[in-house]
Amino acid sequence: MSKCEQCIVREFSSLKALKKDELLKIADCKTSYTITKGETIFSEGENVNGIFCIKDGVCKLSKLSQNGKDQIIKLVSKGELLGQRSMISEEPVNLSAVALEDMEVCFIPKTEIMGFFNHNNDFSMNVMKSICGDLKEADSHTVSMAQKTVKERLAETLVYLETTFGINTDHSLRIQLSREELASMIGTATESCIRLLSDFKKSGLIALSGKKITILDLAKLKKLAE
């Protein structure tokens, strides 16, 4: 059995529609990498010419704004694919991907993947559904940025970090973002983010210890995020 058949990415992504012979082809042409925390997987404007499968770890997808600030668009974790949209649109990637922790990724060249489109309808449909899902998510994010207060967005983001990525043994959030990264996710200045975290701490919603954030009252944070 090839490793691609047993891989977590295959279970959760568009690749689940690929047949055994197609997975064997991927196993022969893929390149595996270990990406260390803080390292760039690809940069905005780059021609990636393939897709990245995330076997383990979490990365941030961000876009550089005109004032030179990084705006985090979303976080992507194991079981997901990167680069599907730019591969189909034949455009350079419009976001940068940077590892938030050590990662295991595989790269599959576009030449191999595009061949499956012509012969496997289920695979093509899965890729389209995945891209539609990304668009739906982007719409929700736009609405949230326009209609929610910064306080509500911070609460929403903290809830998302715990419910999606889990907690450490000491109950702190497993994904540790810097205050700048957190501010970037909710679309505010770092100073405002720090002030709001301090307010949340005073209200007994969270505990702070250096970079670590521990959620003390998830139910109240969820209510605040609505």
Side-chain angles (χ1 to χ4, degrees), residues 58 75-77 80 160-167 174-175:
V58 178
L75 304 183
V76 180
S77 58
E80 296 189 63
Y160 160 74
L161 289 173
E162 177 160 320
T163 53
T164 309
F165 304 104
I167 54 175
R174 190 175 77 78
I175 296 300

Side-chain angles (χ1 to χ4, degrees), residues 6-213:
Q6 301 160 312
C7 182
I8 186 170
V9 189
R10 193 220 168 179
E11 287 175 46
F12 294 112
S13 72
S14 322
L15 303 180
K16 61 178 171 282
L18 295 182
K19 300 178 177 77
K20 189 173 180 176
D21 60 325
E22 292 168 329
L23 288 165
L24 289 168
K25 268 189 188 175
I26 283 182
D28 287 340
C29 73
K30 72 179 169 69
T31 315
S32 299
Y33 299 97
T34 298
I35 312 269
T36 53
K37 183 179 176 177
E39 203 179 329
T40 301
I41 303 170
F42 54 74
S43 298
E44 192 178 334
E46 206 178 297
N47 283 306
V48 173
N49 293 321
I51 58 169
F52 288 92
C53 305
I54 302 179
K55 278 178 76 180
D56 201 19
V58 178
C59 70
K60 61 176 179 179
L61 290 179
S62 61
K63 194 163 184 64
L64 211 56
S65 62
Q66 285 180 321
N67 61 7
K69 279 194 172 181
D70 234 10
Q71 173 75 48
I72 296 178
I73 306 301
K74 68 180 289 192
L75 304 183
V76 180
S77 58
K78 66 180 179 182
E80 296 189 63
L81 302 178
L82 292 175
Q84 293 181 104
R85 190 174 62 195
S86 61
M87 179 181 71
I88 291 167
S89 65
E90 297 187 326
E91 293 171 341
V93 287
N94 70 331
L95 302 171
S96 296
V98 176
L100 286 174
E101 56 184 16
D102 291 351
M103 299 179 73
E104 295 292 327
V105 302
C106 291
F107 178 75
I108 307 167
K110 177 182 175 176
T111 45
E112 289 298 325
I113 288 285
M114 291 313 278
F116 303 146
F117 268 86
N118 302 326
H119 304 108
N120 188 325
N121 287 339
D122 288 342
F123 172 66
S124 318
M125 191 53 86
N126 279 356
V127 172
M128 293 309 159
K129 281 180 181 171
S130 172
I131 292 170
C132 288
D134 285 345
L135 282 171
K136 187 179 174 183
E137 217 174 273
D139 288 345
S140 300
H141 183 68
T142 304
V143 170
S144 173
M145 291 295 260
Q147 296 183 354
K148 291 192 174 184
T149 64
V150 178
K151 192 174 184 177
E152 287 165 345
R153 294 202 299 268
L154 177 58
E156 185 177 50
T157 301
L158 292 175
V159 168
Y160 160 74
L161 289 173
E162 177 160 320
T163 53
T164 309
F165 304 104
I167 54 175
N168 296 312
T169 48
D170 64 358
H171 301 292
S172 64
L173 295 176
R174 190 175 77 78
I175 296 300
Q176 281 186 34
L177 297 174
S178 68
R179 300 298 186 252
E180 288 79 13
E181 287 170 331
L182 203 48
S184 161
M185 275 193 83
I186 62 173
T188 193
T190 307
E191 298 74 27
S192 303
C193 181
I194 291 168
R195 199 162 50 245
L196 278 172
L197 285 170
S198 178
D199 289 347
F200 282 10
K201 183 185 175 183
K202 282 175 196 159
S203 304
L205 297 171
I206 61 170
L208 300 172
S209 173
K211 201 176 168 182
K212 286 186 175 182
I213 299 172

